[in-house]
């Protein structure tokens, strides 16, 4: 069986739509890469991301893991419908520091017709120091994508 190939116009449109998403803007989070079964997201850790102990708040790590897992899974699924995370498990491995760019690499473990499972690792980009690991289970919904994702080009070529 030949692997599916993502439409480059689809990938560009997804990146653009995510860049316009208020929550992604709030976190300064962006998608840097998307291919079947794999996604990459970046967050330049800033003072706004810090907890009272001056480390990056765990919610930031959870958010980038959730996004990386979601898109790694969705990029392989045949559905054009919406997807939602139904379970998220996070392991915080080390405190991430302000001034470091965080990179999350999500990898699909299994992408089915309605359910998908993925894992993601978060590291400080420059040092490679691993700061988080997580898994997510995602479920396809019986409704179309909404908002900025409603008019994407075809996913596969």
């Amino acid at each position: 069986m030949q692997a599916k190939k993502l439409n480059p116009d689809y990938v560009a449109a997804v990146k653009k739509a995510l860049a316009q998403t208020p929550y992604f803007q709030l976190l300064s989070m962006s998608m840097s890469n998307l291919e079947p079964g794999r996604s990459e997201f970046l967050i330049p850790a800033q003072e706004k991301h810090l907890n009272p102990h001056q480390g990056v708040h765990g919610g930031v790590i959870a958010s980038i893991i959730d996004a990386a897992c979601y898109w790694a899974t969705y990029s392989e699924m045949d559905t054009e419908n919406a997807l939602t995370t139904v379970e998220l498990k996070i392991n915080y491995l080390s405190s991430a520091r302000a001034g470091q760019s965080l990179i999350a690499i999500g990898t699909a473990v299994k992408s089915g017709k309605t359910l998908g499972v993925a894992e993601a690792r978060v590291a400080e980009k420059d040092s490679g120091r691993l700061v988080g690991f997580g898994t997510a289970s995602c479920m396809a919904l019986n409704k179309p994508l909404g908002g900025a994702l409603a008019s994407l080009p075809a996913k596969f070529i």
Side-chain angles (χ1 to χ4, degrees):
M1 182 170 135
Q2 187 174 354
K4 295 177 184 175
K5 185 171 178 168
L6 286 176
N7 177 353
D9 293 336
Y10 173 86
V11 173
V14 167
K15 286 181 181 181
K16 182 179 178 183
L18 294 181
Q20 297 170 354
T21 302
Y23 188 67
F24 279 52
Q25 290 175 346
L26 178 71
L27 292 181
S28 302
M29 180 165 49
S30 63
M31 175 187 278
S32 57
N33 189 41
L34 181 65
E35 54 194 67
R38 189 173 188 280
S39 70
E40 291 181 16
F41 283 83
L42 293 170
I43 294 179
Q46 303 165 32
E47 188 172 331
K48 70 179 181 178
H49 297 113
L50 300 182
N51 63 30
H53 303 290
Q54 299 303 300
V56 173
H57 192 281
V60 174
I61 304 299
S63 292
I64 198 170
I65 287 173
D66 185 29
C69 287
Y70 176 102
W71 285 100
T73 300
Y74 193 70
S75 66
E76 287 189 329
M77 295 178 84
D78 284 332
T79 185
E80 298 290 336
N81 284 343
L83 191 72
T84 190
T85 302
V86 294
E87 181 180 47
L88 185 64
K89 296 180 185 178
I90 308 294
N91 293 99
Y92 299 104
L93 305 175
S94 187
S95 179
R97 303 167 289 200
Q100 298 290 313
S101 285
L102 302 178
I103 183 168
I105 299 175
T107 307
V109 174
K110 171 80 168 109
S111 297
K113 290 184 180 196
T114 57
L115 291 175
V117 175
E119 64 182 24
R121 296 170 188 267
V122 180
E124 291 179 341
K125 188 174 180 186
D126 291 339
S127 69
R129 190 168 69 93
L130 194 62
V131 297
F133 174 82
T135 60
S137 299
C138 300
M139 180 179 72
L141 302 174
N142 191 20
K143 69 178 197 174
L145 289 169
L149 298 173
S151 59
L152 294 173
K155 188 188 291 188
F156 301 109
I157 55 173

